[in-house]
Amino acid sequence: MRAKVLSFVQMKGGAGKTTLCSNIASTMSDSGKVLIIDTDVPQCSLKTWFEIRSENYVIENLDVLVAKNVAHLQKLVRDNVKDYDYILIDGHPRITNLTRAVILLSDLVLIPMAPSQVEVWSTKHLAEIVGEAKQVNKSLEARICWNRYRVRTNSAEDVVSKAKKELNLEDFPTKLGNRVAYLDSFADGLTVAEWHDPAAKLEIWALTSSIERLLSSQGGSRLKTEAQVEKFVKEK
């Protein structure tokens, strides 16, 4: 059984995809073997987070590699797809050839967004690319993950309702609150599971459970070939 490939993509910087990736990966590593591929070169924040974490803790079932380009990404995925249960790819905040490759290689694309109309506008191009990828990768799933969500506010609820229609994307029911725990724990090489915010810990646990259920419902499918990826990358 090959690893399920989950990617975190968003062309708007500061959307929280990297902290989300680290928390989801760590939670998944409690029950399976997880590889993170960091494509956000040269920042490589996930690699730095992992190095800080490794200096202070014994890490099990979790590894991090860096992909520099499309060919390198494909090689890392194919070389490791039978050795892990999950491969999580952290995209960079730009629409590039590498971003298109990340999306097509995924079983599930997760798009972090704050409930803001501005973020909906900035995500339209990305949503279009996801739609194109679904024509090639028929089993591809994509979901919005709401981040920095303020509960019980009419404006947030309105944006959520409109965004799903405008972007033609479903979302996860779990919404991550506007909590400093996500950034503060990340800076120390930790996750919210190891931080003093039980609400954040519960949010990540619930979101990860939803992700795992969705991935397990997909069944098995073959990775797209190098030729398919190259063709999709060039059709931008």
Side-chain angles (χ1 to χ4, degrees):
M1 192 76 176
R2 73 165 180 84
K4 288 291 186 177
V5 182
L6 167 64
S7 64
F8 299 76
V9 295
Q10 177 56 273
M11 62 186 298
K12 184 180 181 301
K17 63 178 182 55
T18 299
T19 54
L20 184 57
C21 181
S22 65
N23 278 281
I24 297 297
S26 181
T27 306
M28 285 180 159
S29 72
D30 289 339
S31 58
K33 195 173 180 183
V34 179
L35 172 65
I36 297 173
I37 300 179
D38 190 347
T39 70
D40 194 5
V41 179
Q43 289 86 356
C44 295
S45 299
L46 268 172
K47 183 174 181 290
T48 302
W49 167 82
F50 187 77
E51 290 171 349
I52 295 170
R53 190 172 179 82
S54 300
E55 291 174 0
N56 298 291
Y57 302 94
V58 176
I59 301 176
E60 297 180 344
N61 297 327
L62 182 62
D63 298 299
V64 175
L65 298 173
V66 175
K68 300 175 182 177
N69 51 47
V70 173
H72 192 200
L73 172 66
Q74 292 205 78
K75 184 177 189 306
L76 290 181
V77 172
R78 295 185 192 287
D79 287 353
N80 292 283
V81 73
K82 293 183 179 179
D83 297 326
Y84 291 86
D85 297 297
Y86 300 101
I87 295 177
L88 278 64
I89 308 175
D90 183 36
H92 52 200
R94 299 175 297 281
I95 297 297
T96 65
N97 289 353
L98 185 55
T99 305
R100 293 178 68 89
V102 166
I103 292 171
L104 191 64
L105 287 169
S106 299
D107 295 296
L108 171 61
V109 175
L110 199 152
I111 303 172
M113 288 176 57
S116 158
Q117 189 60 47
V118 174
E119 295 213 10
V120 176
W121 294 336
S122 68
T123 306
K124 285 186 176 180
H125 186 201
L126 177 59
E128 290 170 357
I129 295 172
V130 170
E132 294 172 21
K134 286 183 176 182
Q135 300 303 310
V136 181
N137 184 354
K138 301 298 184 181
S139 61
L140 175 64
E141 295 280 357
R143 294 288 188 277
I144 298 169
C145 175
W146 295 108
N147 195 15
R148 302 196 300 277
Y149 190 87
R150 297 182 184 275
V151 296
R152 292 184 292 277
T153 58
N154 291 334
S155 60
E157 292 176 3
D158 288 344
V159 170
V160 166
S161 177
K162 293 176 181 177
K164 293 192 289 183
K165 295 177 182 177
E166 290 184 32
L167 302 176
N168 194 28
L169 292 170
E170 294 299 318
D171 61 359
F172 283 111
T174 300
K175 299 174 177 63
L176 308 185
N178 191 20
R179 309 181 191 282
V180 298
Y182 290 105
L183 287 176
D184 288 353
S185 59
F186 186 84
D188 285 350
L190 299 171
T191 68
V192 293
E194 301 142 345
W195 206 248
H196 42 79
D197 187 335
K201 179 178 180 179
L202 182 59
E203 287 172 351
I204 289 297
W205 180 86
L207 178 58
T208 304
S209 295
S210 295
I211 290 170
E212 290 176 336
R213 287 195 298 271
L214 178 56
L215 290 173
S216 64
S217 71
Q218 288 179 308
S221 60
R222 295 177 61 86
L223 279 175
K224 297 299 117 180
T225 66
E226 291 186 14
Q228 287 174 313
V229 174
E230 290 293 339
K231 184 175 184 292
F232 183 72
V233 163
K234 293 176 181 177
E235 289 178 345
K236 60 181 180 178

